[in-house]
């Protein structure tokens, strides 16, 4: 686990209504145990009242695992000690941490430790080395490391479990002899013997983690079937009437009980980040043939819509004017940059992510990408694989946007899949943020303002919650939100109120992608301006523990270092306290924890020691310095 992640986990230990550190205790592996959360510096347990698989899923995913195999009760992993921190937990399954779920309140319960809740998680699984997202060498993550699976006894039952775990319908092929190339590092599983019904490969029979007699030329692979769901009748590949394939026939889904959780499952199964909107009443036109699903009720964590609750295939009381539809988050992403605001442009086409050739690539094309991602206008359109070479197909070439299109696919181009390019011509973008925080003591907090028609405006706090705050914070490069603030906590703004009734699911890339009343439509005054508190804008990197390392700060979505000119114990105290430590033991210079890379953001920092964050201290100015990375500052906290 990287020191950056360790530092982030320590910050999580400052339990509030927004976030909490979680651990699993007394299991036979890191994948299982009694659930404990950190409250006021002490670990406490969770009562099993209402404890279910959605709650377990949130715990497992917040710990970096793929999901939950089982939610266990009645102190299955032994009784804990000390406080019972949470009771009556009711997660939807989409929360980023258990503390964001509904519960009685911190420390409020009517339980004993024989009711302590537990979980059994499954590890993350990925496919590596294939030509599409549907194929590759099977790798699982265990104890923070990715490792392979040996092909001894590898068959279609095993491959089906892997493919379904990744959201596909099943497997087309189980491959052996390192068909997709030899992996590196550990071989975690051997002699895997699945029945085919397991939720995860780790739940199949096997000798045990790292118990094998293999070498990497025996690495196992799979080729999965395409998802058997499609969108029809939309203006782009990310929207349309939902149709599923059953028994060789495409049919529709009735809109009874159709909501954003159902839409999220559909969109994610198609490879999108999530759903922007769940549409009903045949918004994308009436389908034909069978109505295959009705009364669908997804929790949001299922891998395919068929896995959600419903009366049964073909059991419905609907007509086609009730056909359900979705609008998915995006068919574009940016990859390989140092912040969420920059990267290589990739588009989702024919079930796979591919790149865009830089022939005729210009600022108007980049504007469309940045707007699609919920950012501000493009600062730069980059060429010649400035953010690294991609892989796979190049779906777009000779793109010629005028700048106001809603999608790159709406712009003139050479034809989908037509190009005369190599990946050393991959196009990229640098976007402006389009959202900013104003009025806080630190750059990680403030009134939320968004850029619209060239002017900054505010967001009304109606329905404002942690899901909304998380979207804002992550779009600015922070790890997460620690508070969603109401009633102009950071002062009243001026000018337009741009958004009202914002209702993010939490998975959106930018706040403008969340459901809302419509741009400029509101019933608010500036006394209702919304704000956020994000995770700290400082982190420690390169130390041997979470309490030490090179100081890195976040500005405009980019992490950079601090020069050691005038660096002293008062500066170090401010850094350490902002990360939740009591203070600093030592201020270090001359890149004591290794040289950083990228920007040097602060120089000549001169804190008095009383500031709440490092950006409040006198300095040369953001990005103004006369330093090199061998002068990077560090701290050792206490």
């Amino acid at each position: 686990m990287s020191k950056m992640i360790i530092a982030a986990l320590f910050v999580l230990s400052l339990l509030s209504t927004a976030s909490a550190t979680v651990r699993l205790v007394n299991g036979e592996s890191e994948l299982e145990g009694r659930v404990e959360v950190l409250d006021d510096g002490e670990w406490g347990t969770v009562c099993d009242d209402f404890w279910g698989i959605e709650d377990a899923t949130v715990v497992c995913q917040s710990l970096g695992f793929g999901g939950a195999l089982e939610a266990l009760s009645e102190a299955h992993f032994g009784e804990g000690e000390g406080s019972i921190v949470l009771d009556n937990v009711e997660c939807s399954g989409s929360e980023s941490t258990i503390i964001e779920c509904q519960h009685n309140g911190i420390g409020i319960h009517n339980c004993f430790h024989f009711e302590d809740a537990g979980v059994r998680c499954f590890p993350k699984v990925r496919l590596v080395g294939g030509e599409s997202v549907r194929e590759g060498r099977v790798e699982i993550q265990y104890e923070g490391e990715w490792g392979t699976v040996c092909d001894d006894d590898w068959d279609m039952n095993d491959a089906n479990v892997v493919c379904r775990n990744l959201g596909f319908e099943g497997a087309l092929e189980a491959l052996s002899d390192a068909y997709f190339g030899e992996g590196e590092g550990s071989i975690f599983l051997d002699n895997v013997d699945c029945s085919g019904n397991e939720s995860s490969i780790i739940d199949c029979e096997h000798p045990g983690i790292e118990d094998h007699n293999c070498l990497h030329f025996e690495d196992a692979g799979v080729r999965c079937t395409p998802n058997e769901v499609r969108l029809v009748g939309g203006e782009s590949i990310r929207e349309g009437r939902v149709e599923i394939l059953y028994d060789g026939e495409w049919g529709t889904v009735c809109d009874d009980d159709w909501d954003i959780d159902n839409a999220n499952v559909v969109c994610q199964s198609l490879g999108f980040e999530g759903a922007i909107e769940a549409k009903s009443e045949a918004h994308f036109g009436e389908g034909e043939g069978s109505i295959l699903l009705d009364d669908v009720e997804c929790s949001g964590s299922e891998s395919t819509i068929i896995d959600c609750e419903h009366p049964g295939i073909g059991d419905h009381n609907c007509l086609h004017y009730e056909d359900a539809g979705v609008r998915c988050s995006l068919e574009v992403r940016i990859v390989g940059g140092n912040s969420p605001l920059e990267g290589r442009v990739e588009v989702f086409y024919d079930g796979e992510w591919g790149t865009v050739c830089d022939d005729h690539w210009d600022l108007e094309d980049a504007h469309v990408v940045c707007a699609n991602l919920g950012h501000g206008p493009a600062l730069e359109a980059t060429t010649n694989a400035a953010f690294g070479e991609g892989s796979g197909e190049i779906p777009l070439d000779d793109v010629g946007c005028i700048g106001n299109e809603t999608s790159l696919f709406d712009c003139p181009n050479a034809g989908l899949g037509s190009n005369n390019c190599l990946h050393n011509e991959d196009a990229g973008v640098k976007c402006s943020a389009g959202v900013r925080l104003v009025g806080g003591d630190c750059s990680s907090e403030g009134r939320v303002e968004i850029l619209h028609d060239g002017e900054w405006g505010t967001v009304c706090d109606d329905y404002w919650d942690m899901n909304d705050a998380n979207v804002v914070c992550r779009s600015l490069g922070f790890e997460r939100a620690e508070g969603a603030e109401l009633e102009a906590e950071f002062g009243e703004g001026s000018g337009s109120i741009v958004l009202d009734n914002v209702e993010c699911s939490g998975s959106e890339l930018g706040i403008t992608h969340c459901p809302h009343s419509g741009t400029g439509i509101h019933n608010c005054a500036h006394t209702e301006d919304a704000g956020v508190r994000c995770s700290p804008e400082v982190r420690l990197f390169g130390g041997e523990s979470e309490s030490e390392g090179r100081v890195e700060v976040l500005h405009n979505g980019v992490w950079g270092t601090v020069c050691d000119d005038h660096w002293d114990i008062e500066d170090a105290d401010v850094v350490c306290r902002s990360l939740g430590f009591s203070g600093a033991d030592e201020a270090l210079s001359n890149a004591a924890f290794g040289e950083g890379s990228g920007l040097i953001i602060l120089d000549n920092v001169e804190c008095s020691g009383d500031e709440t964050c490092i950006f409040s201290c006198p300095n040369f100015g953001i990005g103004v310095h006369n330093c090199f990375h061998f002068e990077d500052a560090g701290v050792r906290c206490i």
Side-chain angles (χ1 to χ4, degrees), residues 67 200 573:
S200 164
D573 269 334

Side-chain angles (χ1 to χ4, degrees), residues 436-450:
R436 67 182 184 184
L437 305 183
V438 179
D441 291 332
C442 303
S443 64
S444 58
E445 64 182 22
R447 179 176 64 253
V448 177
E449 295 191 354
I450 62 176

Side-chain angles (χ1 to χ4, degrees), residues 593-607:
F593 295 101
E595 295 184 17
S597 59
L599 298 178
I600 298 173
I601 294 179
L602 293 177
D603 187 18
N604 283 62
V605 176
E606 296 191 67
C607 304

Side-chain angles (χ1 to χ4, degrees), residues 16-264:
S16 70
T17 58
S19 61
T21 295
V22 181
R23 68 180 184 184
L24 304 183
V25 178
N26 216 31
E28 293 183 359
S29 77
E30 66 163 6
L31 296 166
E32 62 180 22
R34 179 175 64 249
V35 178
E36 295 191 353
V37 296
L38 190 62
D39 175 32
D40 200 20
E42 296 183 0
W43 290 99
T45 63
V46 178
C47 183
D48 64 11
D49 293 344
F50 301 129
W51 190 248
I53 195 67
E54 290 83 5
D55 312 318
T57 295
V58 169
V59 169
C60 291
Q61 291 178 343
S62 73
L63 289 168
F65 301 120
L69 286 169
E70 199 172 1
L72 296 131
S73 56
E74 297 178 352
H76 181 89
F77 295 102
E79 297 183 16
E81 298 177 351
S83 301
I84 297 174
V85 180
L86 296 177
D87 187 18
N88 289 2
V89 176
E90 293 187 86
C91 303
S92 70
S94 62
E95 297 85 355
S96 59
T97 176
I98 190 175
I99 207 69
E100 293 178 12
C101 304
Q102 293 184 14
H103 53 78
N104 285 352
I106 303 298
I108 300 174
H109 68 89
N110 60 352
C111 306
F112 296 93
H113 281 299
F114 60 74
E115 300 167 86
D116 284 343
V119 298
R120 185 170 285 123
C121 306
F122 60 80
K124 284 186 176 178
V125 180
R126 68 182 184 185
L127 304 182
V128 178
E131 293 183 355
S132 78
V133 295
R134 296 195 297 269
E135 63 179 23
R137 179 177 63 252
V138 178
E139 295 189 355
I140 65 172
Q141 190 178 45
Y142 185 75
E143 293 189 345
E145 177 190 358
W146 287 99
T148 64
V149 178
C150 183
D151 64 10
D152 293 344
D153 299 326
W154 188 251
D155 62 19
M156 282 297 291
N157 284 340
D158 311 322
N160 273 320
V161 170
V162 169
C163 289
R164 284 200 303 271
N165 200 196
L166 290 166
F168 299 103
E169 186 73 13
L172 289 171
E173 200 171 356
L175 297 129
S176 55
D177 299 326
Y179 183 89
F180 295 104
E182 295 184 18
E184 298 176 351
S186 298
I187 298 173
F188 283 136
L189 294 178
D190 187 18
N191 294 105
V192 176
D193 186 12
C194 302
S195 69
N197 299 318
E198 294 85 354
S199 301
S200 164
I201 190 174
I202 204 72
D203 209 30
C204 301
E205 292 186 16
H206 56 81
I209 300 293
E210 293 191 278
D211 188 350
H212 69 89
N213 60 354
C214 304
L215 297 172
H216 280 298
F217 61 75
E218 301 167 86
D219 283 343
V222 297
R223 186 170 284 125
C224 302
T225 59
N227 287 295
E228 296 188 334
V229 62
R230 68 183 183 184
L231 305 182
V232 179
E235 294 182 358
S236 77
I237 63 171
R238 67 185 175 103
E239 65 179 20
R241 179 176 64 252
V242 178
E243 296 191 351
I244 61 173
L245 184 64
Y246 180 72
D247 200 19
E249 175 195 5
W250 287 100
T252 63
V253 178
C254 183
D255 64 10
D256 294 343
D257 297 324
W258 189 250
D259 61 17
I260 196 67
D261 289 330
N262 306 329
N264 270 324

